[in-house]
Amino acid sequence: MKGKASSNRFYSILIYLFGFLLLWEWLKPLKVVTDTGDLSYFIMFILLALTLSYFRVHFLLSGTVKAVFILVALHALYFQGSLLELAWLGEFVKDVWRNLGLTLGRDWSGLSFVYRSLLFFILLWLMTYLIHYWLSVRKAILLFYIMTVTYISVIDTFTEYEGDSAIIRVVVFGFLLMGLLALERLIQGEKLNGLAANMNRHRWIVPLTVMLGVSSIVAFAAPKADPLWPDPVPYIQSFAEGSGGLSGVNKLGYDTDDSQLGGPFIGDPTVVFTSEVTREHYWRIETKDMYTGKGWEQSLDEEDGVPFASGEELPFSFTAEDEERDLETENVKIEKGYSHVVYPYGVENVIGNEKGNFEFLPVKEKIRSLDEKGEPVNLSEYALTYRQPSYSQKGMRAANEGQEAMQVPEFVERYTQIPASTPQRVKDLAAEITQDKKDWYDKVRAIEGYFEKEAFVYDQFDVPVPEEDQDYVDQFLFETQRGYCDNYSTSMVVMVRSLGIPARWVKGYTEGEYRRQIDSQYKLYEVSNNNAHSWVEVFFPEVGWVPFEPTVGFSNNIAYEYDLDVPDTDEDQAPIPEKEETPKKPLEPTEDEAAGGGFSFKDLWETIKTFFAENWGKILIGFLLLVLAAVLAYIFRRRWLPYYLIIYYRRRKSEDVYSEAYISLVKQLGRYGLKMQDGQTLRGYSRYIDTFFGTYEMTSLTNRYERTLYGHKPDQEDWMKMRELWENLIKKTTG
């Protein structure tokens, strides 16, 4: 018998060993494809967890052992000093609490390595539990085996990890494990035991091992035929990079080449940068000035960049400055490396790159970051200060070709250029849209609103590429009338230029996707490749370059200065005396103010909103903890509810207190597992309870209860006598 038990134990250990080896294969690529340094603690944790599962250690004890191991491992990996000095534990708790807030806010880039390792340990904990379940309960591992093979194949295909030997190991371990589990299912189904079971295991495992060993050696050593199909990886990678994996299909995102516009796009949610902003606005990168009929290029060769240091005032300004507006600061954290800087309108300086500097490229109006050697460098983060510009309507309406800025032929020619091949009907359409408009501003706004008025459709997919002899703008305006930002912005620039008004094409990003309120001032936005965008800037001599947004469904959130009724000031002009105003009647206080002496429900509501915006993460965690506490209280109510009932019924003095207490006792006995069966009498049930506990208390209580049912009302003295029996019995249900 001892030999049989040893044989059974050997095969059980072998099954768990193969499960451990399969899970180990999931960890091996991490040192190659991630910045993970030491895997030994994770491997030891898997081994420990499977060992505890094999020996069926009670879940409270095994959970405690695993939790202690995780804390020891995290201390060894990330903390200094002795393990017994509990100061590190306080730091660990603070780190976990801070990262819980980041997790709720989906700020994945800000998570600490300690917290990520903790999450990985928890994931391995769940995985080892699943493997134990598959091995000992289901006795089937096919799903996990398929997942492992798929995982190794994908990692081997798309990363530097070489998975040739890993695939062989997975096949050998996996088939041996599935063979052993299949045999265990047969033995269990046929109810074999003893010598018969051991003989079947030997007869099964030996040929299976030989067959797998020989086939693996032959497969590894045999010559391989050339593939029947070309390698799909370059195709997939080119598709992912937007270089045309599908003919004519590109991927959304910023690109420097705009010479051939048109064709469908697919979405790309890859995050480019996150921003901490005070208000929503567009992010500018560069401009282009020469329309070719197919796309955009630069008419001038790029001059040498104008350098400036971190925090230094920028050497350019393309909007009229408004010194009355407050200077604001916003932070940008880069997720996908670019050497260019994204910036808002009204930017005054860029703070960052202390080891190098920045340069402004005047032709493109593009800002780049450079290292000490003058080479472009990718920054991880930087800050920007700006004043939100406000554009004077009076100045825009006064714009005309006779103003001083319009007397520079090179400037006018550069920004009113359209190809000679531009179809006449494009120019005629611009003239038709603006025929009843008197000034530049009204004409530009009429063209901007034309697309929405005529029900143009925003579409990224059903967008054709112009034919060789076809103009990009003409195709959009008169044939398809559907497209994305490039179609709308290019068409508006061309139509505005056809009227002799300077305009140019601008590229950058929209404000992005709102993620959370950081504090009372700043909001966190996530800007992805899906937010790449193009729009229009029109030049008004007294105002500067003003942005316009023709794309249906988009708004660039610019501010206009409504100063049409404000008279012009002249230093030589005598001041106009102010008119005497009739004293105004004081405003009557609102109901809220009159009732509360300055109290306002509006202010209270704003205070509540601010509090929730700043503390919503903690409030959510607190709510979840309360829900968890309520669930645990309900699950373990059998243990604490009797004490509550004892206190409750001690204070009751009504005539029906005994009947209610007896019914509560029966319900509690049911929770304990001693339920009254259908058709069972109270006396039969009471004898069953007394037999179970070895007392006569339930019979005495039942007799008194039956007398109560037949009209005998117990007095206070009867209740005091029976309460001691009732309390003794209900306390027994807490064990």
Side-chain angles (χ1 to χ4, degrees):
M1 294 295 292
K2 186 176 181 180
K4 297 174 184 176
S6 300
S7 179
N8 293 340
R9 190 179 301 112
F10 170 75
Y11 284 105
S12 298
I13 294 174
L14 199 60
I15 287 173
Y16 272 84
L17 176 62
F18 287 142
F20 164 73
L21 293 174
L22 280 182
L23 185 54
W24 191 359
E25 294 296 337
W26 285 71
L27 302 185
K28 290 180 179 179
L30 297 182
K31 296 193 71 171
V32 178
V33 300
T34 70
D35 55 0
T36 304
D38 189 2
L39 293 174
S40 57
Y41 286 100
F42 301 112
I43 297 170
M44 286 189 289
F45 179 78
I46 295 173
L47 188 59
L48 172 66
L50 290 177
T51 302
L52 294 172
S53 298
Y54 172 77
F55 287 106
R56 303 290 198 277
V57 178
H58 191 273
F59 73 93
L60 291 178
L61 179 58
S62 67
T64 303
V65 172
K66 294 174 188 176
V68 169
F69 180 89
I70 291 174
L71 290 176
V72 172
L74 292 176
H75 174 270
L77 289 171
Y78 299 107
F79 295 96
Q80 303 293 329
S82 172
L83 179 65
L84 300 179
E85 296 176 1
L86 299 183
W88 72 271
L89 198 57
E91 296 179 16
F92 170 71
V93 173
K94 291 179 181 178
D95 183 82
V96 171
W97 179 256
R98 184 181 67 83
N99 282 273
L100 283 174
L102 296 175
T103 303
L104 293 173
R106 290 181 286 183
D107 185 7
W108 314 120
S109 61
L111 299 182
S112 68
F113 289 109
V114 177
Y115 184 72
R116 294 182 187 186
S117 297
L118 175 63
L119 294 181
F120 192 53
F121 272 119
I122 295 173
L123 175 63
L124 293 178
W125 192 330
L126 296 175
M127 289 297 298
T128 52
Y129 171 77
L130 285 174
I131 290 176
H132 163 68
Y133 174 75
W134 287 327
L135 296 180
S136 63
V137 180
R138 293 293 304 275
K139 298 189 183 302
I141 201 71
L142 179 61
L143 176 62
F144 183 67
Y145 172 73
I146 294 174
M147 292 169 57
T148 306
V149 171
T150 305
Y151 168 75
I152 297 298
S153 301
V154 171
I155 291 293
D156 175 73
T157 303
F158 294 101
T159 69
E160 298 177 358
Y161 179 70
E162 295 292 336
D164 298 349
S165 56
I167 287 292
I168 295 174
R169 291 194 301 268
V170 167
V171 169
V172 173
F173 299 152
F175 275 97
L176 284 172
L177 181 57
M178 287 189 289
L180 287 171
L181 292 175
L183 177 59
E184 293 299 318
R185 291 197 301 272
L186 288 174
I187 292 175
Q188 187 175 355
E190 298 295 332
K191 299 181 179 179
L192 300 176
N193 50 39
L195 182 60
N198 289 330
M199 290 180 63
N200 280 299
R201 287 191 180 96
H202 292 313
R203 292 173 181 175
W204 184 280
I205 193 66
V206 173
L208 179 63
T209 305
V210 173
M211 181 185 68
L212 283 174
V214 172
S215 60
S216 300
I217 294 172
V218 172
F220 189 77
K224 313 296 188 296
D226 293 332
L228 298 176
W229 297 282
D231 184 8
V233 175
Y235 169 81
I236 296 173
Q237 289 177 339
S238 65
F239 178 81
E241 293 168 1
S243 59
L246 294 175
S247 178
V249 179
N250 293 314
K251 201 168 188 179
L252 283 175
Y254 170 76
D255 190 6
T256 56
D257 185 6
D258 303 294
S259 58
Q260 294 290 330
L261 299 180
F265 273 83
I266 60 172
D268 179 13
T270 302
V271 177
V272 181
F273 64 92
T274 58
S275 59
E276 299 174 1
V277 300
T278 54
R279 60 170 55 87
E280 297 81 2
H281 57 71
Y282 280 9
W283 296 95
R284 202 170 182 270
I285 296 180
E286 64 177 337
T287 68
K288 293 191 176 180
D289 61 358
M290 186 173 74
Y291 174 64
T292 63
K294 301 294 183 184
W296 288 95
E297 296 178 1
Q298 290 290 358
S299 62
L300 304 176
D301 294 332
E302 188 60 71
E303 303 172 358
D304 293 336
V306 181
F308 62 96
S310 172
E312 186 179 334
E313 186 174 350
L314 268 66
F316 76 98
S317 176
F318 50 85
T319 56
E321 294 185 1
D322 189 350
E323 297 294 340
E324 294 182 1
R325 291 184 175 267
D326 294 334
L327 190 65
E328 301 182 45
T329 301
E330 296 182 345
N331 300 311
V332 176
K333 293 183 179 180
I334 307 301
E335 300 291 336
K336 188 173 182 180
Y338 285 119
S339 61
H340 62 250
V341 173
V342 296
Y343 57 92
Y345 283 91
V347 62
E348 293 194 4
N349 55 53
V350 186
I351 304 168
N353 194 25
E354 283 75 9
K355 294 182 179 180
N357 61 2
F358 298 95
E359 73 168 350
F360 172 66
L361 303 176
V363 173
K364 301 176 182 178
E365 293 193 353
K366 189 173 186 177
I367 302 175
R368 294 194 306 174
S369 54
L370 306 177
D371 60 16
E372 303 93 326
K373 300 178 181 179
E375 297 295 328
V377 63
N378 300 338
L379 300 181
S380 59
E381 60 180 332
Y382 49 86
L384 302 146
T385 61
Y386 75 103
R387 300 180 195 272
Q388 185 188 22
S390 180
Y391 304 97
S392 167
Q393 284 196 323
K394 177 180 286 187
M396 289 189 286
R397 289 189 184 278
N400 60 75
E401 60 274 5
Q403 291 178 300
E404 182 179 354
M406 296 297 293
Q407 305 309 309
V408 182
E410 294 82 2
F411 175 85
V412 175
E413 182 180 352
R414 180 183 178 188
Y415 290 111
T416 59
Q417 168 272 337
I418 55 175
S421 60
T422 303
Q424 183 61 37
R425 61 179 179 175
V426 174
K427 306 173 187 177
D428 294 342
L429 177 61
E432 180 184 344
I433 295 171
T434 60
Q435 60 183 347
D436 58 344
K437 308 299 179 185
K438 297 180 180 179
D439 55 64
W440 281 14
Y441 176 72
D442 286 338
K443 290 180 180 181
V444 173
R445 290 303 299 269
I447 294 176
E448 182 187 41
Y450 168 76
F451 302 98
E452 187 170 359
K453 180 181 177 181
E454 295 299 321
F456 280 68
V457 177
Y458 183 87
D459 190 352
Q460 296 177 356
F461 307 106
D462 187 16
V463 182
V465 178
E467 302 292 339
E468 187 175 350
D469 58 346
Q470 192 174 30
D471 185 85
Y472 176 69
V473 169
D474 182 78
Q475 180 197 52
F476 173 66
L477 292 176
F478 298 101
E479 296 184 14
T480 64
Q481 294 188 332
R482 62 191 310 117
Y484 39 87
C485 57
D486 292 349
N487 299 88
Y488 290 92
S489 56
T490 302
S491 298
M492 179 174 175
V493 172
V494 171
M495 286 196 288
V496 169
R497 286 184 171 187
S498 70
L499 302 175
I501 302 173
R504 63 186 179 187
W505 194 64
V506 192
K507 293 182 64 178
Y509 295 93
T510 63
E511 65 272 14
E513 302 295 326
Y514 172 79
R515 287 299 172 236
R516 62 184 174 90
Q517 185 80 30
I518 299 175
D519 52 34
S520 58
Q521 182 180 8
Y522 285 96
K523 307 171 187 176
L524 180 67
Y525 277 80
E526 204 171 65
V527 182
S528 68
N529 279 327
N530 285 336
N531 301 119
H533 194 55
S534 62
W535 61 95
V536 179
E537 286 179 358
V538 179
F539 182 75
F540 297 90
E542 293 184 2
V543 180
W545 291 101
V546 180
F548 289 86
E549 180 53 273
T551 306
V552 173
F554 287 77
S555 174
N556 57 8
N557 301 309
I558 67 169
Y560 290 115
E561 183 182 346
Y562 297 98
D563 55 353
L564 295 176
D565 297 329
V566 179
D568 294 326
T569 58
D570 193 336
E571 293 180 358
D572 298 331
Q573 185 176 355
I576 301 175
E578 295 183 0
K579 293 182 180 179
E580 224 177 88
E581 293 187 2
T582 305
K584 295 182 180 179
K585 182 181 178 181
L587 293 175
E588 295 291 334
T590 63
E591 293 182 4
D592 292 342
E593 293 172 346
F599 172 78
S600 170
F601 281 106
K602 182 178 180 182
D603 293 340
L604 176 62
W605 175 244
E606 290 298 327
T607 303
I608 293 173
K609 286 199 301 183
T610 302
F611 174 78
F612 274 89
E614 294 178 355
N615 301 279
W616 70 271
K618 296 179 181 178
I619 293 172
L620 179 59
I621 293 174
F623 175 74
L624 293 176
L625 291 175
L626 287 176
V627 171
L628 178 61
V631 171
L632 292 175
Y634 178 78
I635 293 174
F636 296 102
R637 67 191 184 282
R638 178 177 65 82
R639 297 183 179 274
W640 60 265
L641 190 56
Y643 298 103
Y644 167 78
L645 293 174
I646 290 171
I647 297 173
Y648 175 75
Y649 285 113
R650 279 180 181 176
R651 297 179 179 180
R652 292 287 302 276
K653 298 185 182 300
S654 60
E655 294 181 352
D656 58 350
V657 60
Y658 182 73
S659 299
E660 293 181 10
Y662 183 85
I663 294 172
S664 297
L665 174 61
V666 173
K667 291 181 178 178
Q668 177 63 15
L669 289 168
R671 297 187 194 100
Y672 186 71
L674 302 175
K675 293 184 178 180
M676 180 183 291
Q677 303 300 319
D678 294 338
Q680 190 174 22
T681 64
L682 280 176
R683 292 193 177 187
Y685 179 64
S686 64
R687 286 193 297 270
Y688 168 65
I689 297 299
D690 285 338
T691 302
F692 183 85
F693 288 112
T695 66
Y696 293 96
E697 294 168 343
M698 190 64 182
T699 300
S700 300
L701 293 171
T702 302
N703 291 336
R704 179 63 66 180
Y705 177 69
E706 287 180 339
R707 291 177 62 188
T708 304
L709 292 179
Y710 289 108
H712 177 74
K713 298 295 182 182
D715 54 21
Q716 187 65 24
E717 186 177 353
D718 289 337
W719 166 235
M720 294 297 292
K721 292 178 182 178
M722 305 310 296
R723 191 179 69 187
E724 184 177 354
L725 299 177
W726 179 85
E727 290 182 0
N728 290 337
L729 188 56
I730 202 170
K731 285 179 180 178
K732 293 181 182 347
T733 63
T734 62

